[in-house]
Amino acid sequence: MKKLFTLSIAMMLIAAVVAGCAAPANESAPVVEAEAVEVSEEKVEDPGMVNLYTDRHYDTDAELYAQFTEETGIEVNVIKGKGDELIERLTREDVDTEADLLITADAGRLFRAKDAGLLQTVESEVVNGNVPSNLRDKDNEWIGLTVRGRVLVYAKDRVTPDMLSTYEALTGPEWDGKVLVRASSNIYNQSLLASFIEVNGEEAAKEWAAGLVNNMAREPQGNDRAQATAVVAGEGDVAIMNTYYIGKMLNSENPEEVTVAENVGIFFPNQDTTGTHINVSGAGLAKHSKNKENAVKLIEFLTSEKAQGTFSSANYEYPVNANVEPSELLKSWGEFKAQDINLSVLGENNLRAVEIFNEVNWQ
Ligand code: FE
């Protein structure tokens, strides 16, 4: 099979080169995208292999899987895609799926997979010891692997930390027209509001959402990074965004992103009250896994002290394993108190959160 792929790529290349030569001089040669061939989609023969559907794409992850293989002899076959697409694929494949594990971001999205009947319980004392219960599904159908905070990011030249306190305070008159946040269709915002429903009740959550819409600097647009960019551009003074994007921007190859990240401060809200909202990237055990035992071994490995530092810092995230320290960059942001809730409720409250967003007209 592999040979066949290689051969057809070679033939495509030759065809492309010939076509390029035949083209008039003012036309540029066609771009050949060899990486479009998805070698990872090959069917699996080895019954011991763990097939992993993941939306992560870090070199360090591949190194960890290699280390896992070296220690256990169990191969890991990585199939990459976007979180929601992988969930759709699992649904489509149903009992015929090759997938053993699904790794994706946000407890709200992991709940979707659970709710669609795509997952099953992970039974492992090792995993239960590695990961605190609030970062695991109530039925252990998904397990948190890394933690991110959804924090306030402010313009260093216009805002000082003493002006900030809580998510709720952003609805006050002093922030009128100054708050930046992305659209309500985004799962991170849905999970944020779902957490407020849990800790403050529905009514207070709706009041907050309405108040924030009132104080928005502009109609929600762009991703989390775009909110930081808009802060530095002066469109607003404070944004709501996930912690790891600041790490990504600070280490970006794009100098403009680095400048943006250097000109904003990170503030962990609600430290004297309900805590900062956190979420996870996590792994769900596929309902129709043909390799449950080995898949669970991989979760045990990824949540172990040995793997957690590398696995979490690849995306500038916090480890779930309390015995592992966050990276130096994350430590430089300081320690913080997180919301004390089981992240399963983010999924359970998702529908109500979406309704509230619609009711208050959060675009
Ligand atoms: Fe993200």
Side-chain angles (χ1 to χ4, degrees), residues 294-306:
N294 288 353
V296 171
K297 278 184 194 157
L298 182 56
I299 301 178
E300 290 174 348
F301 175 79
L302 292 176
T303 55
S304 70
E305 286 183 35
K306 192 188 292 174

Side-chain angles (χ1 to χ4, degrees), residues 125-147:
E125 285 313 309
V126 176
V127 170
N128 294 350
N130 287 344
V131 185
S133 60
N134 65 311
L135 305 180
R136 290 185 262 125
D137 171 52
K138 280 176 183 168
D139 303 312
N140 256 15
E141 294 196 14
W142 55 259
I143 308 294
L145 298 174
T146 61
V147 172

Side-chain angles (χ1 to χ4, degrees), residues 58 105 109 148 150 182 186 188 224-225 242 244-245 248 281 315:
Y58 309 110
R109 188 178 281 128
R148 66 277 301 281
R150 194 148 181 80
R182 72 198 291 178
N186 173 256
Y188 304 151
D224 271 16
R225 293 185 215 218
N242 285 354
Y244 57 89
Y245 287 114
K248 286 185 182 220
S281 271
N315 192 36

Side-chain angles (χ1 to χ4, degrees), residues 67-247:
Q67 197 181 324
F68 173 74
T69 303
E70 200 173 305
E71 283 181 20
T72 61
I74 302 164
E75 300 277 345
V76 181
N77 184 39
V78 179
I79 293 147
K80 293 174 191 170
K82 288 192 174 145
D84 287 320
E85 289 167 12
L86 293 171
I87 290 174
E88 270 173 43
R89 183 169 166 178
L90 271 171
T91 307
R92 213 168 49 235
E93 291 171 341
D94 197 34
V95 293
D96 295 326
T97 191
E98 299 280 356
D100 299 299
L101 284 180
L102 166 73
I103 292 184
T104 187
D106 205 291
R109 188 178 281 128
L110 287 157
F111 177 85
R112 280 181 200 158
K114 178 189 181 183
D115 204 38
L118 300 173
L119 305 180
Q120 64 173 310
T121 302
V122 174
E123 283 170 35
S124 163
E125 285 313 309
V126 176
V127 170
N128 294 350
N130 287 344
V131 185
S133 60
N134 65 311
L135 305 180
R136 290 185 262 125
D137 171 52
K138 280 176 183 168
D139 303 312
N140 256 15
E141 294 196 14
W142 55 259
I143 308 294
L145 298 174
T146 61
V147 172
R148 66 277 301 281
R150 194 148 181 80
V151 297
L152 309 186
V153 160
Y154 59 91
K156 274 187 194 164
D157 61 343
R158 277 164 279 143
V159 176
T160 51
D162 62 292
M163 294 161 71
L164 299 166
S165 58
T166 61
Y167 297 105
E168 292 83 354
L170 292 182
T171 63
E174 65 275 30
W175 298 105
D176 187 14
K178 292 179 177 169
V179 182
L180 289 149
V181 64
R182 72 198 291 178
S184 64
S185 56
N186 173 256
I187 189 77
Y188 304 151
N189 281 342
Q190 292 172 9
S191 287
L192 178 68
L193 190 58
S195 78
F196 294 166
I197 292 172
E198 190 64 21
V199 295
N200 300 323
E202 250 184 70
E203 216 166 300
K206 184 171 176 177
E207 215 170 283
W208 176 80
L212 208 80
V213 169
N214 253 332
N215 280 352
M216 283 181 186
R218 61 178 186 184
E219 287 257 294
Q221 53 189 270
N223 54 19
D224 271 16
R225 293 185 215 218
Q227 311 312 315
T229 303
V231 163
V232 172
E235 282 192 68
D237 286 350
V238 58
I240 299 174
M241 66 187 283
N242 285 354
T243 42
Y244 57 89
Y245 287 114
I246 296 299

